[in-house]
Amino acid sequence: MSEKTVSAKAPKTPKAKPVARKDMTKAQWIWKEMKRNYIAYIMCAPFFLIFFTFTILPVILSIFYSFTIFNLIEPMKWIFLDNYIRLFLDDDIFLTAVQNTLLFAVIIGPVSYLLSLFVAWFINEIPPKIRSVVTLIFYAPSISGGANMIWGVFFSGDSYGYANSILMRLGIIQSPIQFFQNADYVMPLCIVVALWSSLGTSFLSFIGGLQTIDKAQFEAAAVDGIKNRWQELWYVTLPNMKSQLLFGAILAITSAFGFGAVVDSLAGNPSVDYCAWTIVHHLGDYGGARFEVGYASAIATILFAMMVGSNMLVKKILAKVGQ
Amino acid sequence: MAKKLRVRGHKVVLNRSAGGDFGITFFLVILGVFMFIPMYYAVIQSLKPLDELWMYPPQFYVVKPTFKNFSLMFKTLQTSWIPFSRYIFNTVFISVAGTFGNLACGSLAAYAISKINFPGRKGLSSLVRLSLMFHPTVSAIVNFMTMSTLGWVDTYLAIIIPAWGATLGMFLMQTFMEGNISVAVLEAARLDGSSEFRTFWTIAMPMVKPGWITLIIYSFKDLWNTGASTYIYSEELKTFNYAVGQITSGGVERAGVGTAAAVVMMIVPIAVFVIGQSNVIETMASSGMKD
């Protein structure tokens, strides 16, 4: 009787001899591990299925389409680099877009990044209750999607706009300026608004990172002869939050190169004389409006390459922090 | 050498220069005012009665605050082609369905990647990290083709389903789980015969409440701000943000209503953030990437 219960409880595939990893080829070992952890793949499946379809696949396909002529109606035709040649040699508006994108990215990227870092660092010493209010004030513009339009009202072209009214009362200008119809003002204003709404996730990440730093390190550093808060920042604080610095940098770069929505909501699409026309706009124009999938994919690929390239550059720079 | 140390509350702290303290405070105040004024201005503008709205010179305060703009907003949209409630419904429906799916899919994947040692986890996790560099515009064209193949163009699915695979919230969840769930507890549960799903649901998830609150906030905020989408044509499927854009572009006679709509638009994500703020900061403390 007792024998029967024992045999019933015994596993179906008795482990005759324990298998050590060295007895197997690498492929066998991986296969065994995959079978053992099959549940992990089930858990990952829903997310990664959607993620691959809507995030990874588009990038891969875009690179592929960028070597073709494809407009969804006629059959696809392989043309190798012609799209890229056309972009750089025949498309003046694209060159304007590249120029504007680089200008925006070079200003908005680093400035918003440093602004997030320094504000997070400064408010770190404020008592927690006040700090959460201050955090909210700085962070709120980045999550309030509809609030960009308030800048439009503020700088509206008639004398009821605050900016015009103030300038006119001070006697600086005689008649109202059409801020968003004038190529001289569109770029700077868009940059200001973009910076205003740029203290986002990286800012919160820096705040979170700063809170995890062990206070004892600061005391030790003070004893070791750190002279002022800037040295403290460079030698103690920043090296302690390197992972947040990198995370923040990646987010800053992506949003700086993908800049375009702010322009749309303030200056319209297209902006006057293409003065604030970015790669994102060009992409939307060819992809969304004209359905030149091949050509638009070439634009997307270039934008993608710019983002990845600058990320690699930033990684190298960040490796020097604290040295 | 001058003594740079002093004792404050029994702790050795670095002596901060008073000039530096003043400079920093000054900078913070100026910047804070710059950040705050547009928000303040939006609220003030939405509370102004018509005569104050068109007072010259424009004022930075409101004498007789009124909620008329808000009620007018409902009226304007009530009489428009598509009832206002429909835009609200669309946005709320998209936000809730998308956030719920993102939470379910995202936290399952985050758990598996951070806590189960299976072949391929490193690759998947670096793909997620890499994808933070992808801007949505880059994938818009191919996604449109995918949507039309699937027959999702001009349906809610076109917005809801991709949101289930949104990476930022999932990434933050994953980094949070890495640091805040002890492997020993999970091992104990596994030894007790708890299935992996059960362990996930009854042990892991309660331990990472800040993580999923953060994921909810991020997902909700993104979906709430969904504007005119390239995948949606039908007016009756369009979102509140799109409707706000339509009112505000209505020009001078809609100025008060427009700001009222923009205020509603911005208050909701801010309110959601305020509710979960401490949880978000806690999650952010373990955010970041090593390489």
Side-chain angles (χ1 to χ4, degrees):
Chain A
M1 210 42 196
S2 68
E3 217 178 65
K4 205 178 177 184
T5 31
V6 168
S7 70
K9 266 188 179 174
K12 275 177 188 167
T13 49
K15 283 170 190 164
K17 50 180 179 186
V19 192
R21 185 171 178 178
K22 60 177 191 275
D23 298 336
M24 292 187 266
T25 64
K26 197 169 181 217
Q28 274 177 321
W29 172 256
I30 290 176
W31 179 239
K32 183 174 164 284
E33 282 291 290
M34 284 172 82
K35 276 196 293 188
R36 195 169 69 85
N37 292 307
Y38 74 97
I39 201 90
Y41 297 97
I42 298 176
M43 286 176 145
C44 282
F47 179 84
F48 279 98
L49 196 68
I50 297 165
F51 170 70
F52 280 122
T53 315
F54 295 107
T55 308
I56 301 293
L57 184 76
V59 172
I60 298 171
L61 281 183
S62 288
I63 297 174
F64 171 75
Y65 287 141
S66 74
F67 301 113
T68 66
I69 290 183
F70 184 37
N71 57 10
L72 302 179
I73 303 162
E74 295 160 63
M76 199 190 301
K77 206 173 120 201
W78 187 262
I79 55 164
F80 203 47
L81 286 177
D82 281 6
N83 281 328
Y84 292 93
I85 294 169
R86 181 176 152 207
L87 270 176
F88 283 104
L89 296 183
D90 288 340
D91 194 339
D92 290 341
I93 299 175
F94 176 69
L95 294 182
T96 312
V98 171
Q99 212 181 339
N100 285 336
T101 304
L102 286 177
L103 185 66
F104 277 129
V106 164
I107 297 173
I108 295 171
V111 174
S112 72
Y113 184 71
L114 292 176
L115 211 58
S116 303
L117 179 61
F118 280 106
V119 173
W121 183 49
F122 292 158
I123 67 176
N124 191 41
E125 295 186 10
I126 303 176
K129 283 253 166 61
I130 309 172
R131 185 171 60 213
S132 57
V133 175
V134 178
T135 304
L136 180 67
I137 290 177
F138 283 97
Y139 180 66
S142 74
I143 45 170
S144 49
N148 276 348
M149 59 80 57
I150 224 59
W151 287 88
V153 180
F154 202 89
F155 282 100
S156 79
D158 50 44
S159 51
Y160 294 106
Y162 276 77
N164 274 324
S165 143
I166 291 166
L167 288 174
M168 281 165 77
R169 245 188 307 169
L170 293 174
I172 298 171
I173 53 169
Q174 298 306 317
S175 56
I177 303 173
Q178 298 278 330
F179 284 103
F180 294 111
Q181 301 303 320
N182 187 328
D184 294 340
Y185 296 107
V186 171
M187 274 291 252
L189 281 177
C190 288
I191 289 175
V192 168
V193 176
L195 287 176
W196 171 71
S197 58
S198 72
L199 267 67
T201 307
S202 15
F203 174 59
L204 295 184
S205 174
F206 295 154
I207 292 177
L210 282 163
Q211 288 182 5
T212 58
I213 301 174
D214 185 6
K215 300 279 179 293
Q217 286 199 27
F218 293 112
E219 290 168 28
V223 174
D224 283 349
I226 291 272
K227 285 199 198 67
N228 54 45
R229 72 181 92 212
W230 303 99
Q231 282 190 351
E232 188 184 87
L233 174 72
W234 184 254
Y235 291 109
V236 186
T237 312
L238 292 185
N240 263 301
M241 49 185 288
K242 264 190 180 172
S243 60
Q244 278 91 2
L245 290 180
L246 185 60
F247 177 54
I250 286 175
L251 297 179
I253 289 168
T254 312
S255 65
F257 278 102
F259 179 74
V262 172
V263 179
D264 291 349
S265 66
L266 291 178
N269 187 355
S271 41
V272 192
D273 297 336
Y274 293 101
C275 63
W277 189 255
T278 64
I279 299 184
V280 168
H281 292 126
H282 210 55
L283 181 57
D285 191 16
Y286 279 94
R290 308 185 198 196
F291 278 107
E292 288 192 38
V293 175
Y295 196 61
S297 295
I299 301 170
T301 307
I302 289 172
L303 182 63
F304 181 62
M306 284 164 90
M307 286 177 184
V308 175
S310 37
N311 266 303
M312 276 148 60
L313 187 75
V314 164
K315 263 183 206 179
K316 287 222 172 87
I317 297 171
L318 284 178
K320 294 201 164 44
V321 163
Q323 285 169 3
Chain B
M1 200 187 103
K3 195 92 177 107
K4 288 279 178 190
L5 304 174
R6 68 184 150 146
V7 176
R8 190 199 285 162
H10 303 290
K11 270 185 185 167
V12 185
V13 291
L14 192 67
N15 204 352
R16 303 252 191 260
S17 68
D21 277 341
F22 176 75
I24 285 171
T25 313
F26 185 71
F27 172 78
L28 272 184
V29 169
I30 296 288
L31 196 65
V33 168
F34 168 72
M35 301 299 277
F36 187 65
I37 277 188
M39 317 292 268
Y40 168 80
Y41 176 61
V43 174
I44 286 300
Q45 204 73 351
S46 70
L47 294 176
K48 277 184 183 174
L50 206 58
D51 53 330
E52 282 189 58
L53 218 46
W54 299 116
M55 197 184 275
Y56 184 86
Q59 301 298 325
F60 249 122
Y61 51 85
V62 47
V63 185
K64 280 177 286 184
T66 167
F67 283 102
K68 216 175 159 199
N69 288 322
F70 289 91
S71 56
L72 211 60
M73 169 181 82
F74 281 90
K75 274 202 198 102
T76 311
L77 284 161
Q78 219 64 57
T79 53
S80 62
W81 179 27
I82 301 294
F84 182 54
S85 49
R86 185 66 202 240
Y87 292 113
I88 295 265
F89 171 80
N90 288 340
T91 288
V92 171
F93 179 72
I94 287 171
S95 304
V96 170
T99 302
F100 183 76
N102 191 209
L103 178 64
C105 299
S107 40
L108 268 174
Y111 173 75
I113 285 194
S114 59
K115 290 296 155 197
I116 305 179
N117 194 5
F118 64 95
R121 71 190 281 223
K122 287 234 173 71
L124 290 179
S125 126
S126 41
L127 260 185
V128 170
R129 260 182 293 148
L130 186 71
S131 78
L132 294 177
M133 288 181 214
F134 299 177
H135 195 268
T137 337
V138 172
S139 37
I141 305 162
V142 177
N143 277 347
F144 185 83
M145 286 152 52
T146 313
M147 301 279 181
S148 48
T149 314
L150 293 168
W152 290 359
V153 172
D154 213 21
T155 65
Y156 290 126
L157 293 177
I159 297 176
I160 294 172
I161 303 292
W164 291 9
T167 44
L168 190 55
M170 180 271 185
F171 175 76
L172 291 171
M173 186 84 157
Q174 185 201 322
T175 48
F176 190 71
M177 282 177 160
E178 267 158 24
N180 291 278
I181 301 179
S182 94
V183 183
V185 176
L186 295 184
E187 283 303 326
R190 284 170 193 157
L191 281 179
D192 285 347
S194 159
S195 77
E196 206 61 65
F197 277 100
R198 211 187 127 103
T199 316
F200 162 77
W201 184 247
T202 57
I203 296 172
M205 282 306 263
M207 286 165 103
V208 290
K209 197 170 146 226
W212 47 264
I213 290 178
T214 307
L215 189 148
I216 290 174
I217 290 175
Y218 266 87
S219 185
F220 180 83
K221 159 204 103 179
D222 282 349
L223 287 160
W224 177 266
N225 287 331
T226 306
S229 161
T230 31
Y231 313 124
I232 304 281
Y233 304 131
S234 310
E235 192 64 27
E236 67 267 22
L237 293 182
K238 288 193 165 154
T239 59
F240 181 49
N241 194 1
Y242 166 82
V244 171
Q246 294 303 103
I247 311 170
T248 49
S249 61
V252 177
E253 72 275 17
R254 294 275 184 82
V257 181
T259 36
V263 165
V264 173
M265 192 63 220
M266 73 183 202
I267 287 283
V268 173
I270 291 178
V272 171
F273 174 73
V274 169
I275 295 167
Q277 188 172 2
S278 58
N279 290 294
V280 175
I281 299 293
E282 202 180 331
T283 308
M284 289 297 175
S286 55
S287 70
M289 42 182 80
K290 295 277 169 334
D291 43 15

